[in-house]
Amino acid sequence: MCSSPKPKTKAKGKKSGGGSILANISSESRSRFSERANAAQDRRDEMKAAHKQKALQQNTLTKRSILQLLKLKNKRKALAIGY
């Protein structure tokens, strides 16, 4: 089994006190953060719904145009044959 290389000297830096990011801020800041996060999620949900609706409309229009083209093709074919 191969082990990963270890540094020869200790890394310098500030250790965190532990806990989550939101645990280290005030309750007022935490509530503002949660409000902004919720608003951002709502915008993402609205954009996703709008994109889905647009794709559905595009798909419907495509199906309609294909059906219209098939009808036109069949009509031309019938005229060419002489019906």
Side-chain angles (χ1 to χ4, degrees):
M1 185 171 215
C2 186
S3 64
S4 61
K6 306 287 190 260
K8 302 236 185 256
T9 60
K10 268 193 165 186
K12 294 180 182 178
K14 190 175 183 181
K15 282 191 171 184
S16 65
S20 71
I21 295 170
L22 294 177
N24 297 330
I25 62 175
S26 69
S27 62
E28 185 179 316
S29 297
R30 191 170 35 248
S31 66
R32 283 191 309 232
F33 174 82
S34 64
E35 287 173 7
R36 287 194 314 267
N38 290 339
Q41 184 62 44
D42 290 342
R43 285 193 303 272
R44 284 191 292 271
D45 291 342
E46 287 173 6
M47 287 173 49
K48 189 174 184 180
H51 181 70
K52 189 174 182 179
Q53 182 67 24
K54 186 176 178 181
L56 183 64
Q57 283 179 337
Q58 185 66 30
N59 192 18
T60 303
L61 289 174
T62 304
K63 285 181 181 178
R64 281 187 196 160
S65 61
I66 289 172
L67 288 175
Q68 288 174 348
L69 286 173
L70 287 174
K71 285 180 183 178
L72 182 62
K73 185 178 178 183
N74 288 339
K75 193 175 192 181
R76 285 183 180 168
K77 189 185 276 186
L79 288 174
I81 293 174
Y83 288 118

